[in-house]
Short mmCIF file of all heavy atoms in Angstrom, two decimals:
data_model
loop_
_atom_site.label_atom_id
_atom_site.label_comp_id
_atom_site.label_asym_id
_atom_site.label_seq_id
_atom_site.Cartn_x
_atom_site.Cartn_y
_atom_site.Cartn_z
N MET O 1991 59.22 72.58 -16.65
CA MET O 1991 57.81 72.96 -16.75
C MET O 1991 57.63 74.18 -17.63
O MET O 1991 56.66 74.28 -18.38
CB MET O 1991 57.26 73.22 -15.35
CG MET O 1991 57.32 72.00 -14.48
SD MET O 1991 55.75 71.73 -13.70
CE MET O 1991 56.16 70.53 -12.49
N LEU O 1992 58.55 75.11 -17.52
CA LEU O 1992 58.43 76.30 -18.36
C LEU O 1992 58.59 75.94 -19.83
O LEU O 1992 57.88 76.47 -20.70
CB LEU O 1992 59.49 77.34 -17.95
CG LEU O 1992 59.16 78.12 -16.67
CD1 LEU O 1992 60.32 79.02 -16.30
CD2 LEU O 1992 57.89 78.94 -16.84
N LEU O 1993 59.51 75.03 -20.09
CA LEU O 1993 59.69 74.59 -21.47
C LEU O 1993 58.40 73.99 -22.01
O LEU O 1993 57.99 74.25 -23.15
CB LEU O 1993 60.80 73.55 -21.54
CG LEU O 1993 62.22 74.09 -21.55
CD1 LEU O 1993 63.22 72.95 -21.36
CD2 LEU O 1993 62.51 74.82 -22.84
N ALA O 1994 57.77 73.17 -21.18
CA ALA O 1994 56.55 72.52 -21.63
C ALA O 1994 55.40 73.53 -21.71
O ALA O 1994 54.60 73.51 -22.66
CB ALA O 1994 56.18 71.39 -20.69
N LEU O 1995 55.37 74.41 -20.74
CA LEU O 1995 54.27 75.37 -20.67
C LEU O 1995 54.21 76.21 -21.94
O LEU O 1995 53.14 76.56 -22.43
CB LEU O 1995 54.49 76.26 -19.45
CG LEU O 1995 53.33 77.14 -19.03
CD1 LEU O 1995 52.10 76.29 -18.82
CD2 LEU O 1995 53.67 77.89 -17.76
N HIS O 1996 55.37 76.50 -22.45
CA HIS O 1996 55.43 77.32 -23.67
C HIS O 1996 54.64 76.69 -24.81
O HIS O 1996 53.99 77.38 -25.59
CB HIS O 1996 56.90 77.49 -24.06
CG HIS O 1996 57.09 78.10 -25.39
ND1 HIS O 1996 56.57 79.34 -25.71
CD2 HIS O 1996 57.74 77.69 -26.50
CE1 HIS O 1996 56.89 79.65 -26.96
NE2 HIS O 1996 57.60 78.66 -27.46
N LEU O 1997 54.70 75.38 -24.90
CA LEU O 1997 54.06 74.71 -26.03
C LEU O 1997 52.63 74.30 -25.75
O LEU O 1997 51.91 73.91 -26.66
CB LEU O 1997 54.88 73.47 -26.42
CG LEU O 1997 56.29 73.79 -26.90
CD1 LEU O 1997 57.09 72.50 -27.07
CD2 LEU O 1997 56.26 74.56 -28.19
N LEU O 1998 52.24 74.37 -24.49
CA LEU O 1998 50.86 74.00 -24.17
C LEU O 1998 49.93 75.17 -24.50
O LEU O 1998 50.36 76.32 -24.59
CB LEU O 1998 50.74 73.64 -22.69
CG LEU O 1998 51.27 72.26 -22.31
CD1 LEU O 1998 51.31 72.09 -20.80
CD2 LEU O 1998 50.43 71.17 -22.93
N PRO O 1999 48.64 74.86 -24.69
CA PRO O 1999 47.72 75.94 -25.01
C PRO O 1999 47.63 76.97 -23.88
O PRO O 1999 47.90 76.64 -22.73
CB PRO O 1999 46.39 75.21 -25.20
CG PRO O 1999 46.56 73.89 -24.57
CD PRO O 1999 48.00 73.57 -24.68
N GLY O 2000 47.24 78.18 -24.23
CA GLY O 2000 47.22 79.28 -23.28
C GLY O 2000 46.23 79.06 -22.16
O GLY O 2000 45.59 78.01 -22.07
N ASN O 2001 46.10 80.05 -21.30
CA ASN O 2001 45.23 79.90 -20.14
C ASN O 2001 43.87 79.38 -20.55
O ASN O 2001 43.10 80.06 -21.23
CB ASN O 2001 45.06 81.25 -19.43
CG ASN O 2001 46.34 81.64 -18.73
OD1 ASN O 2001 47.25 80.81 -18.60
ND2 ASN O 2001 46.42 82.88 -18.29
N PRO O 2002 43.55 78.18 -20.16
CA PRO O 2002 42.32 77.55 -20.64
C PRO O 2002 41.13 77.90 -19.77
O PRO O 2002 41.28 78.29 -18.62
CB PRO O 2002 42.65 76.07 -20.50
CG PRO O 2002 43.59 76.01 -19.34
CD PRO O 2002 44.30 77.32 -19.25
N PRO O 2003 39.94 77.76 -20.33
CA PRO O 2003 38.74 77.97 -19.52
C PRO O 2003 38.60 76.86 -18.49
O PRO O 2003 39.16 75.79 -18.62
CB PRO O 2003 37.60 77.89 -20.53
CG PRO O 2003 38.14 77.06 -21.64
CD PRO O 2003 39.62 77.33 -21.68
N ARG O 2004 37.84 77.17 -17.47
CA ARG O 2004 37.61 76.17 -16.44
C ARG O 2004 36.82 75.01 -17.02
O ARG O 2004 35.92 75.19 -17.83
CB ARG O 2004 36.82 76.82 -15.31
CG ARG O 2004 36.93 76.09 -14.00
CD ARG O 2004 36.05 76.75 -12.96
NE ARG O 2004 36.62 77.98 -12.42
CZ ARG O 2004 37.57 78.01 -11.50
NH1 ARG O 2004 38.11 76.89 -11.09
NH2 ARG O 2004 38.02 79.15 -11.03
N LEU O 2005 37.18 73.82 -16.63
CA LEU O 2005 36.55 72.66 -17.24
C LEU O 2005 35.42 72.08 -16.40
O LEU O 2005 34.40 71.66 -16.93
CB LEU O 2005 37.58 71.56 -17.46
CG LEU O 2005 38.35 71.64 -18.77
CD1 LEU O 2005 39.34 70.51 -18.82
CD2 LEU O 2005 37.41 71.56 -19.94
N SER O 2006 35.62 72.05 -15.11
CA SER O 2006 34.69 71.25 -14.32
C SER O 2006 33.61 72.11 -13.68
O SER O 2006 33.82 73.27 -13.34
CB SER O 2006 35.45 70.44 -13.27
OG SER O 2006 36.44 71.24 -12.68
N ALA O 2007 32.48 71.48 -13.51
CA ALA O 2007 31.35 72.17 -12.92
C ALA O 2007 31.57 72.38 -11.42
O ALA O 2007 32.46 71.80 -10.83
CB ALA O 2007 30.09 71.34 -13.13
N VAL O 2008 30.72 73.21 -10.84
CA VAL O 2008 30.87 73.53 -9.43
C VAL O 2008 30.73 72.28 -8.58
O VAL O 2008 31.53 72.03 -7.67
CB VAL O 2008 29.82 74.58 -9.01
CG1 VAL O 2008 29.93 74.85 -7.51
CG2 VAL O 2008 30.03 75.86 -9.79
N SER O 2009 29.73 71.46 -8.93
CA SER O 2009 29.50 70.27 -8.12
C SER O 2009 30.74 69.38 -8.13
O SER O 2009 31.13 68.83 -7.10
CB SER O 2009 28.30 69.50 -8.66
OG SER O 2009 28.57 69.11 -10.00
N ARG O 2010 31.33 69.27 -9.30
CA ARG O 2010 32.53 68.47 -9.41
C ARG O 2010 33.64 69.03 -8.53
O ARG O 2010 34.35 68.31 -7.83
CB ARG O 2010 32.97 68.41 -10.87
CG ARG O 2010 34.34 67.83 -11.09
CD ARG O 2010 34.40 66.38 -10.68
NE ARG O 2010 33.76 65.51 -11.64
CZ ARG O 2010 34.34 65.06 -12.75
NH1 ARG O 2010 35.56 65.39 -13.01
NH2 ARG O 2010 33.70 64.28 -13.58
N ARG O 2011 33.73 70.36 -8.55
CA ARG O 2011 34.81 70.96 -7.78
C ARG O 2011 34.55 70.80 -6.28
O ARG O 2011 35.49 70.59 -5.51
CB ARG O 2011 34.97 72.43 -8.15
CG ARG O 2011 35.87 72.60 -9.38
CD ARG O 2011 36.05 74.04 -9.77
NE ARG O 2011 34.93 74.51 -10.55
CZ ARG O 2011 34.38 75.71 -10.42
NH1 ARG O 2011 34.86 76.55 -9.53
NH2 ARG O 2011 33.37 76.06 -11.17
N VAL O 2012 33.29 70.85 -5.91
CA VAL O 2012 32.96 70.62 -4.50
C VAL O 2012 33.32 69.20 -4.10
O VAL O 2012 33.95 68.94 -3.07
CB VAL O 2012 31.47 70.90 -4.23
CG1 VAL O 2012 31.08 70.40 -2.85
CG2 VAL O 2012 31.20 72.38 -4.38
N ARG O 2013 32.96 68.25 -4.96
CA ARG O 2013 33.27 66.86 -4.68
C ARG O 2013 34.78 66.68 -4.53
O ARG O 2013 35.27 66.10 -3.55
CB ARG O 2013 32.77 65.98 -5.83
CG ARG O 2013 32.95 64.51 -5.59
CD ARG O 2013 32.96 63.73 -6.89
NE ARG O 2013 34.23 63.90 -7.58
CZ ARG O 2013 34.56 63.28 -8.70
NH1 ARG O 2013 33.70 62.48 -9.28
NH2 ARG O 2013 35.74 63.46 -9.27
N ASP O 2014 35.52 67.19 -5.51
CA ASP O 2014 36.97 67.04 -5.46
C ASP O 2014 37.54 67.73 -4.23
O ASP O 2014 38.48 67.23 -3.60
CB ASP O 2014 37.60 67.62 -6.72
CG ASP O 2014 37.21 66.84 -7.95
OD1 ASP O 2014 36.68 65.72 -7.78
OD2 ASP O 2014 37.41 67.34 -9.07
N GLY O 2015 36.96 68.87 -3.91
CA GLY O 2015 37.42 69.58 -2.73
C GLY O 2015 37.23 68.74 -1.48
O GLY O 2015 38.10 68.69 -0.61
N ALA O 2016 36.08 68.06 -1.41
CA ALA O 2016 35.83 67.23 -0.24
C ALA O 2016 36.84 66.09 -0.16
O ALA O 2016 37.41 65.81 0.90
CB ALA O 2016 34.41 66.67 -0.31
N ILE O 2017 37.07 65.44 -1.31
CA ILE O 2017 38.07 64.36 -1.32
C ILE O 2017 39.42 64.90 -0.89
O ILE O 2017 40.12 64.31 -0.05
CB ILE O 2017 38.18 63.74 -2.73
CG1 ILE O 2017 36.86 63.10 -3.14
CG2 ILE O 2017 39.30 62.71 -2.77
CD1 ILE O 2017 36.87 62.55 -4.55
N ALA O 2018 39.77 66.05 -1.44
CA ALA O 2018 41.08 66.63 -1.15
C ALA O 2018 41.20 66.96 0.33
O ALA O 2018 42.22 66.69 0.96
CB ALA O 2018 41.29 67.87 -2.00
N LEU O 2019 40.13 67.52 0.86
CA LEU O 2019 40.16 67.90 2.27
C LEU O 2019 40.35 66.67 3.16
O LEU O 2019 41.19 66.66 4.07
CB LEU O 2019 38.84 68.61 2.62
CG LEU O 2019 38.93 69.61 3.74
CD1 LEU O 2019 39.91 70.71 3.39
CD2 LEU O 2019 37.56 70.18 4.05
N CYS O 2020 39.57 65.64 2.87
CA CYS O 2020 39.70 64.42 3.66
C CYS O 2020 41.11 63.86 3.54
O CYS O 2020 41.73 63.46 4.53
CB CYS O 2020 38.69 63.36 3.18
SG CYS O 2020 37.00 63.82 3.52
N GLY O 2021 41.60 63.82 2.30
CA GLY O 2021 42.94 63.29 2.09
C GLY O 2021 43.97 64.09 2.86
O GLY O 2021 44.87 63.53 3.50
N GLY O 2022 43.84 65.40 2.80
CA GLY O 2022 44.79 66.26 3.48
C GLY O 2022 44.75 66.04 4.98
O GLY O 2022 45.79 65.79 5.62
N LEU O 2023 43.55 66.08 5.53
CA LEU O 2023 43.43 65.90 6.98
C LEU O 2023 43.94 64.53 7.40
O LEU O 2023 44.67 64.39 8.39
CB LEU O 2023 41.97 66.08 7.40
CG LEU O 2023 41.46 67.52 7.30
CD1 LEU O 2023 39.97 67.58 7.64
CD2 LEU O 2023 42.26 68.43 8.22
N GLY O 2024 43.57 63.54 6.61
CA GLY O 2024 43.99 62.19 6.95
C GLY O 2024 45.50 62.05 6.95
O GLY O 2024 46.09 61.56 7.93
N SER O 2025 46.12 62.50 5.89
CA SER O 2025 47.57 62.32 5.82
C SER O 2025 48.26 63.17 6.87
O SER O 2025 49.25 62.74 7.48
CB SER O 2025 48.08 62.66 4.42
OG SER O 2025 47.62 63.92 4.05
N GLY O 2026 47.74 64.37 7.10
CA GLY O 2026 48.33 65.21 8.13
C GLY O 2026 48.23 64.54 9.49
O GLY O 2026 49.19 64.53 10.27
N TRP O 2027 47.08 63.96 9.75
CA TRP O 2027 46.91 63.29 11.04
C TRP O 2027 47.84 62.10 11.17
O TRP O 2027 48.42 61.86 12.24
CB TRP O 2027 45.45 62.88 11.23
CG TRP O 2027 45.25 62.23 12.57
CD1 TRP O 2027 45.08 60.92 12.83
CD2 TRP O 2027 45.24 62.91 13.83
NE1 TRP O 2027 44.97 60.71 14.18
CE2 TRP O 2027 45.06 61.91 14.82
CE3 TRP O 2027 45.37 64.24 14.22
CZ2 TRP O 2027 45.00 62.20 16.17
CZ3 TRP O 2027 45.31 64.53 15.58
CH2 TRP O 2027 45.13 63.53 16.54
N LEU O 2028 48.00 61.35 10.09
CA LEU O 2028 48.91 60.21 10.14
C LEU O 2028 50.32 60.68 10.47
O LEU O 2028 51.02 60.09 11.32
CB LEU O 2028 48.91 59.47 8.80
CG LEU O 2028 47.67 58.64 8.47
CD1 LEU O 2028 47.82 58.00 7.10
CD2 LEU O 2028 47.45 57.57 9.53
N ALA O 2029 50.73 61.74 9.80
CA ALA O 2029 52.07 62.25 10.05
C ALA O 2029 52.20 62.67 11.52
O ALA O 2029 53.20 62.37 12.18
CB ALA O 2029 52.35 63.43 9.13
N TRP O 2030 51.17 63.35 11.97
CA TRP O 2030 51.16 63.81 13.36
C TRP O 2030 51.26 62.62 14.31
O TRP O 2030 52.05 62.62 15.26
CB TRP O 2030 49.88 64.62 13.61
CG TRP O 2030 49.63 64.97 15.03
CD1 TRP O 2030 48.72 64.42 15.86
CD2 TRP O 2030 50.29 65.98 15.79
NE1 TRP O 2030 48.76 65.00 17.09
CE2 TRP O 2030 49.73 65.98 17.09
CE3 TRP O 2030 51.32 66.89 15.51
CZ2 TRP O 2030 50.14 66.83 18.10
CZ3 TRP O 2030 51.74 67.75 16.53
CH2 TRP O 2030 51.15 67.71 17.80
N ALA O 2031 50.45 61.60 14.03
CA ALA O 2031 50.43 60.44 14.91
C ALA O 2031 51.80 59.77 14.97
O ALA O 2031 52.24 59.34 16.04
CB ALA O 2031 49.37 59.44 14.42
N VAL O 2032 52.46 59.69 13.83
CA VAL O 2032 53.77 59.04 13.85
C VAL O 2032 54.81 59.92 14.53
O VAL O 2032 55.60 59.46 15.36
CB VAL O 2032 54.23 58.70 12.42
CG1 VAL O 2032 55.64 58.16 12.45
CG2 VAL O 2032 53.29 57.69 11.80
N MET O 2033 54.77 61.20 14.21
CA MET O 2033 55.80 62.08 14.75
C MET O 2033 55.71 62.22 16.27
O MET O 2033 56.70 62.51 16.92
CB MET O 2033 55.69 63.47 14.12
CG MET O 2033 56.31 63.54 12.74
SD MET O 2033 56.36 65.21 12.10
CE MET O 2033 54.67 65.52 11.71
#
Side-chain angles (χ1 to χ4, degrees):
Chain O
M1991 298 229 192
L1992 283 175
L1993 279 170
L1995 192 55
H1996 170 57
L1997 297 172
L1998 283 171
N2001 288 349
R2004 201 184 283 281
L2005 273 179
S2006 42
V2008 177
S2009 60
R2010 169 65 75 83
R2011 275 180 278 140
V2012 169
R2013 185 202 75 176
D2014 294 346
I2017 297 176
L2019 208 60
C2020 293
L2023 290 176
S2025 52
W2027 182 255
L2028 287 179
W2030 171 255
V2032 174
M2033 280 187 287

